[in-house]
Amino acid sequence: MARDRKPPVPLGRRLSRWFTAAVVLLLLWLGGALAFLDQVEHLPAPDETPTDGIVVLTGGTARLATALRLLDANRAERLLVSGVGATVSKASLQQALLPSMPDSRQVSGDWRHLDLQVLFDCCVDLGFEAADTAGNAAETAGWIATRGYRSIRLVTANYHLPRAMVEFGRRLPGIAILPHPVQPDQLRVEGWWQRRQAAAFLLGEYSKYLLALLRARLDGAIAGALDGTGGNAGSDAGGGRPAD
């Protein structure tokens, strides 16, 4: 007896379904983007609690100036500048900072009594290996492992902080990460929809944030599956203690 076959769905109906699905996904993405940018615009003031180390991600003098102020205020014992170009030196970083420091709007403190040379010589490390945010996290993992740190303050631009926290959390399990957002000089989140370039950049950052979240969830699912397999194998082998 021949099986009854359902008639094929007309092409027009299939296209309508795909279009509806695409519109729903677009609206969900846009709603998430608006929530993301509102969160970035209203990030809480950074905590002043001391940490073992400070990590600043390259991308503007405001970030580095803020990190140096925190280092000078004894908020940590050392500072890592992650993602430095191959031709950059401590001397060239100091020269780049000097013009902006006396009248910087991004940081507080009395810069007249801050000796950049002393800070750079004693307590600043440069990281040259990172090419992206995931690379910053991997570079930081090596730095804190070498020094035995258990907590860091992460200094970066406010719009970049959510993605950086995801990447650093993924690469640094068990490490306390204190976020420290900085308002960039050249890209303000406020009124972003009125500036085409700012809107394109910030919406692109939101998309990168979603991809970072997806990678973190996949890593967590894979790690959970492996832990479950390892635990079952240990039990079958004689009730050994599961690996941490």
Side-chain angles (χ1 to χ4, degrees):
M1 180 177 177
R3 294 182 179 180
D4 293 335
R5 294 184 178 180
K6 295 182 179 180
V9 179
L11 177 60
R13 185 178 299 177
R14 280 183 287 167
L15 291 175
S16 177
R17 289 176 180 175
W18 293 339
F19 178 76
T20 301
V23 170
V24 170
L25 288 175
L26 178 61
L27 291 175
L28 289 173
W29 177 87
L30 183 58
L34 294 175
F36 169 82
L37 292 171
D38 182 70
Q39 175 192 0
V40 167
E41 187 175 349
H42 299 96
L43 286 172
D47 193 331
E48 294 295 320
T49 303
T51 55
D52 294 333
I54 299 171
V55 179
V56 59
L57 310 186
T58 54
T61 56
R63 303 185 193 185
L64 184 53
T66 298
L68 286 167
R69 176 184 67 82
L70 292 163
L71 183 65
D72 185 61
N74 297 317
R75 294 294 182 266
E77 63 180 43
R78 291 196 73 81
L79 166 66
L80 171 65
V81 186
S82 178
V84 176
T87 60
V88 174
S89 65
K90 290 185 178 182
S92 63
L93 279 179
Q94 291 178 54
Q95 291 302 314
L97 277 170
L98 286 174
S100 65
M101 289 175 64
D103 58 352
S104 176
R105 296 175 300 165
Q106 306 298 336
V107 292
S108 61
D110 189 353
W111 291 107
R112 292 173 298 177
H113 302 297
L114 181 63
D115 192 326
L116 285 179
Q117 188 66 54
V118 169
L119 278 181
F120 271 90
D121 287 345
C122 80
C123 310
V124 175
D125 299 314
L126 304 185
F128 297 93
E129 298 178 2
D132 54 20
T133 308
N136 292 135
E139 186 171 64
T140 299
W143 182 70
I144 65 174
T146 299
R147 300 192 171 276
Y149 290 164
R150 303 302 302 169
S151 63
I152 61 168
R153 179 184 297 271
L154 181 57
V155 180
T156 188
N158 55 357
Y159 62 81
H160 184 228
L161 189 59
R163 178 160 61 100
M165 289 293 290
V166 171
E167 295 287 6
F168 273 66
R170 184 165 67 97
R171 298 296 182 102
L172 304 175
I175 301 298
I177 304 172
L178 186 63
H180 196 109
V182 175
Q183 172 65 58
D185 291 315
Q186 303 300 326
L187 181 62
R188 305 190 70 83
V189 178
E190 297 84 350
W192 60 272
W193 60 89
Q194 299 174 345
R195 307 186 309 277
R196 182 178 301 176
Q197 289 185 340
F201 182 88
L202 292 171
L203 291 175
E205 179 62 30
Y206 169 65
S207 296
K208 293 178 183 179
Y209 168 68
L210 290 181
L211 289 175
L213 276 180
L214 178 60
R215 285 195 298 267
R217 295 288 174 85
L218 288 175
D219 283 354
I222 293 171
L226 292 176
D227 286 345
T229 302
N232 292 335
S235 299
D236 294 340
R241 179 178 179 273
D244 291 335

